[in-house]
Amino acid sequence: MSFRLQIRSNDTTPLFAQIVHQVREAVALGKLRPGDRIPTLRDLAARLLVNPNTIAKAFQELEREGVVVTRRGAGTFIAENHCALSDAERNRILGEKIEACLTEAVHLRFPRKEVQRLFAESMQRFRWTDGA
Amino acid sequence: MSFRLQIRSNDTTPLFAQIVHQVREAVALGKLRPGDRIPTLRDLAARLLVNPNTIAKAFQELEREGVVVTRRGAGTFIAENHCALSDAERNRILGEKIEACLTEAVHLRFPRKEVQRLFAESMQRFRWTDGA
Amino acid sequence: MSFRLQIRSNDTTPLFAQIVHQVREAVALGKLRPGDRIPTLRDLAARLLVNPNTIAKAFQELEREGVVVTRRGAGTFIAENHCALSDAERNRILGEKIEACLTEAVHLRFPRKEVQRLFAESMQRFRWTDGA
Amino acid sequence: MSFRLQIRSNDTTPLFAQIVHQVREAVALGKLRPGDRIPTLRDLAARLLVNPNTIAKAFQELEREGVVVTRRGAGTFIAENHCALSDAERNRILGEKIEACLTEAVHLRFPRKEVQRLFAESMQRFRWTDGA
DNA sequence: GTGGTCTAGACCACT
DNA sequence: GTGGTCTAGACCACC
């Protein structure tokens, strides 16, 4: 599996947020594993044609979320996955995401069965921590 | 089920977006049905203690999305549900939402089974267009 | 109680971190209460003679930590205090802080009794959530 | 009690600072006593898989703080504990550390009693200079 | 008016 | 050479 970042200039979401999202997704899909090294800040800035500060902001956000660990002078690495939030908070967050997802599905007039099918299909592509 | 709008003042999402989201969700849950009348702009502005311009922006966005229709002199109503997007586009949108949802789940270290359970649970609360 | 921010230019800690720390402390001491409004970004930048971006970074950090809530177009406010971390994480964090504190005390050759006295004294100045 | 240095690679604090902190803490806990010999620079560098320059910087900082003394040709030793700072300065430093500690505790929503308990518990593990 | 994003370019700390 | 901080100044979204 290869790992490639890309910027969608016609997307309204902030550049740094696009990068954060893509790294988070790559980790969740198992394309990036704990210990893997991410390209350098300046490297990404040059390749994606964005300002180094923008990449820096993305890196900092990822570090704050515990997705990566940065070691000054050494680089940025995918962190050991662990979640420091309380169970109540975790359930609240995921619950809201699911509801938003289903709200969208209804408005797009997806039939129930189709949503279930797409969901099941996607689930198989992710890397679950329980190995299931 | 009654339908009540409310703004959460310690939520970072823009006021107008909170309103849009709540109306969309109420429709998806079946709390609001096609033809139902929505309170007037100034009514909501007064009740929610929000600038009328903010309500106007929310209504405008809802109308743009085809969720509501305004009939001059009569008020604003929930639209007949229709979706003008192509199948490819619809699948792309929902697919991305589902992936974002699962990305979150993995990072929160939910086990696979638990995600399936929460998802199935939520599905039952929505009003699917095929009546299923 | 008055609330005043100040920058110590001869301190090596980053400017934005100094601001974050001072706001956090003011909240913990009860000098700032939930709902209180913080001076505007530009206001602080002008008063403290630092770049507005530096203040913005401090605000964003405070928001991520859940200390403040920012509402675009309205301003920045002290948030309702709540902690989303798991008990294990909370204990880990506080435990480390206490150990670092005591390590310092030993190296400064404070006698045991004196540390206890200073600690007890400080405790009285803070605003505990259990009201004790 | 044995004394072992280790670097936590997914910790954002600089390597040299981790080493400084661990030596300081070991001294404060009484695991290292005045006169004890510390492994050589190259020994540590090899064991911790760290650049010798990094170890050198840590030693340098420890010596600057008066925690260790290097005797040419003999090695590096834990110094006789002495503190050259004025009382006012010592009080200021410890006071700030305690305040930072309590600020954290309040934000983590620890109840007053719990903080007192954890603090008292930690105090027992340290080696106080008055032997108490 | 509020805060948020991005660019450009300088300087610093760490390995 | 790594990432982190700060400044300066532009533009945008929200209220």
Side-chain angles (χ1 to χ4, degrees):
Chain A
M1 292 241 191
S2 73
F3 168 63
R4 281 234 157 283
L5 283 174
Q6 60 180 343
I7 296 296
R8 296 185 209 176
S9 340
N10 56 339
D11 190 337
T12 67
T13 57
L15 300 187
F16 85 92
Q18 289 185 38
I19 295 166
V20 167
H21 177 254
Q22 285 178 50
V23 173
R24 276 171 62 87
E25 189 166 277
V27 170
L29 288 166
K31 290 182 183 174
L32 286 177
R33 300 292 190 104
D36 283 0
R37 187 177 176 184
I38 290 185
T40 71
L41 193 153
R42 291 159 172 86
D43 205 47
L44 284 175
R47 268 200 277 149
L48 302 177
L49 301 173
V50 301
N51 190 291
N53 286 330
T54 304
I55 308 286
K57 187 168 184 180
F59 278 19
Q60 281 170 282
E61 176 67 14
L62 285 166
E63 167 136 47
R64 201 196 54 74
E65 292 180 9
V67 177
V68 305
V69 175
T70 67
R71 294 206 282 281
R72 294 241 282 238
T76 305
F77 306 82
I78 303 298
E80 290 301 327
N81 192 353
H82 91 298
C83 177
L85 301 180
S86 67
D87 287 359
E89 190 68 7
R90 290 168 67 233
N91 277 298
R92 192 187 64 71
I93 293 171
L94 185 57
E96 275 187 12
K97 294 272 181 195
I98 291 177
E99 300 244 319
C101 206
L102 296 183
T103 294
E104 195 65 41
V106 168
H107 279 281
L108 290 171
R109 298 183 71 73
F110 274 92
R112 183 184 182 121
K113 287 280 183 205
E114 184 71 0
V115 176
Q116 286 172 327
R117 194 180 62 74
L118 287 169
F119 183 80
E121 223 172 82
S122 276
M123 282 217 60
Q124 293 180 356
R125 302 219 314 286
F126 283 80
R127 178 167 166 270
W128 301 96
T129 52
D130 55 352
Chain B
M1 292 245 193
S2 74
F3 169 64
R4 284 239 156 281
L5 280 174
Q6 59 177 346
I7 54 168
R8 287 180 240 178
S9 46
N10 50 335
D11 183 342
T12 176
T13 52
L15 296 188
F16 89 92
Q18 287 188 38
I19 295 167
V20 168
H21 176 256
Q22 284 179 49
V23 172
R24 275 171 63 87
E25 188 166 271
V27 170
L29 288 165
K31 290 181 184 175
L32 286 177
R33 301 294 189 100
D36 283 359
R37 187 162 185 272
I38 287 184
T40 68
L41 193 151
R42 58 189 62 191
D43 206 46
L44 281 175
R47 261 201 284 148
L48 302 178
L49 300 173
V50 161
N51 191 310
N53 289 331
T54 304
I55 308 284
K57 181 157 187 183
F59 278 20
Q60 195 179 330
E61 174 67 12
L62 284 166
E63 184 144 26
R64 199 187 60 73
E65 291 180 13
V67 178
V68 305
V69 284
T70 25
R71 292 202 280 276
R72 297 277 294 248
T76 305
F77 304 82
I78 302 298
E80 287 306 321
N81 206 343
H82 78 300
C83 179
L85 302 174
S86 70
D87 281 10
E89 189 67 2
R90 287 168 67 231
N91 276 296
R92 193 188 59 71
I93 292 172
L94 185 57
E96 278 187 8
K97 293 274 182 194
I98 289 175
E99 302 232 319
C101 211
L102 295 183
T103 294
E104 195 65 41
V106 170
H107 281 282
L108 290 171
R109 297 183 73 73
F110 274 94
R112 186 186 181 119
K113 288 277 183 205
E114 183 73 0
V115 176
Q116 287 170 326
R117 194 179 64 74
L118 287 169
F119 188 81
E121 220 173 85
S122 277
M123 283 214 64
Q124 293 179 356
R125 295 212 306 283
F126 283 78
R127 177 170 166 270
W128 302 95
T129 52
D130 55 352
Chain C
M1 294 244 192
S2 73
F3 169 61
R4 281 236 157 279
L5 284 174
Q6 59 179 346
I7 298 295
R8 296 185 209 175
S9 340
N10 56 338
D11 189 338
T12 68
T13 56
L15 301 186
F16 86 93
Q18 290 186 36
I19 295 166
V20 167
H21 175 255
Q22 285 179 48
V23 172
R24 276 171 63 87
E25 188 166 277
V27 171
L29 287 168
K31 290 182 184 174
L32 287 176
R33 299 293 190 103
D36 283 0
R37 188 175 176 187
I38 288 184
T40 70
L41 194 153
R42 290 158 172 86
D43 204 45
L44 283 175
R47 266 199 279 150
L48 302 178
L49 301 173
V50 300
N51 190 292
N53 285 332
T54 304
I55 307 287
K57 188 168 184 181
F59 277 20
Q60 278 169 286
E61 176 65 16
L62 284 166
E63 169 137 45
R64 281 181 300 193
E65 291 180 11
V67 178
V68 305
V69 176
T70 66
R71 294 206 283 280
R72 294 243 280 241
T76 304
F77 305 82
I78 303 297
E80 290 301 327
N81 192 354
H82 93 298
C83 176
L85 301 180
S86 68
D87 287 358
E89 190 68 8
R90 290 167 67 232
N91 277 296
R92 192 187 63 70
I93 293 172
L94 185 56
E96 276 188 10
K97 293 275 180 193
I98 290 176
E99 300 245 319
C101 207
L102 295 184
T103 294
E104 195 64 42
V106 169
H107 278 282
L108 289 171
R109 300 182 71 72
F110 273 93
R112 184 185 183 120
K113 287 281 182 203
E114 183 71 1
V115 176
Q116 285 172 327
R117 194 181 63 74
L118 286 169
F119 184 80
E121 223 171 83
S122 275
M123 282 216 62
Q124 293 180 357
R125 303 221 313 284
F126 283 80
R127 178 168 164 269
W128 302 95
T129 53
D130 55 352
Chain D
M1 291 244 192
S2 74
F3 169 63
R4 284 238 156 282
L5 280 175
Q6 60 177 345
I7 55 168
R8 287 180 239 180
S9 47
N10 50 336
D11 184 341
T12 176
T13 53
L15 296 188
F16 88 93
Q18 287 187 38
I19 295 168
V20 168
H21 176 255
Q22 284 178 50
V23 173
R24 277 171 61 88
E25 188 166 271
V27 171
L29 288 167
K31 291 182 183 174
L32 285 177
R33 300 295 188 101
D36 283 0
R37 187 163 184 272
I38 288 185
T40 68
L41 193 150
R42 59 189 62 190
D43 205 48
L44 281 175
R47 263 200 283 146
L48 302 177
L49 300 172
V50 161
N51 191 309
N53 290 331
T54 305
I55 307 285
K57 181 158 187 183
F59 278 20
Q60 196 179 331
E61 173 68 13
L62 283 166
E63 184 144 26
R64 200 187 60 73
E65 292 182 10
V67 177
V68 305
V69 283
T70 25
R71 292 201 280 275
R72 296 277 294 251
T76 305
F77 303 83
I78 302 298
E80 289 304 322
N81 207 342
H82 78 299
C83 180
L85 301 175
S86 69
D87 281 10
E89 189 67 3
R90 287 167 68 232
N91 275 296
R92 192 190 59 72
I93 293 173
L94 184 57
E96 277 187 9
K97 292 276 181 193
I98 290 176
E99 302 233 320
C101 210
L102 295 182
T103 295
E104 196 65 41
V106 169
H107 280 283
L108 290 170
R109 295 183 73 74
F110 274 94
R112 184 185 182 121
K113 288 277 184 205
E114 184 73 1
V115 176
Q116 286 171 327
R117 194 180 64 73
L118 288 169
F119 186 82
E121 220 172 87
S122 277
M123 281 213 65
Q124 294 180 356
R125 294 213 304 285
F126 283 78
R127 175 169 166 273
W128 301 96
T129 51
D130 54 352

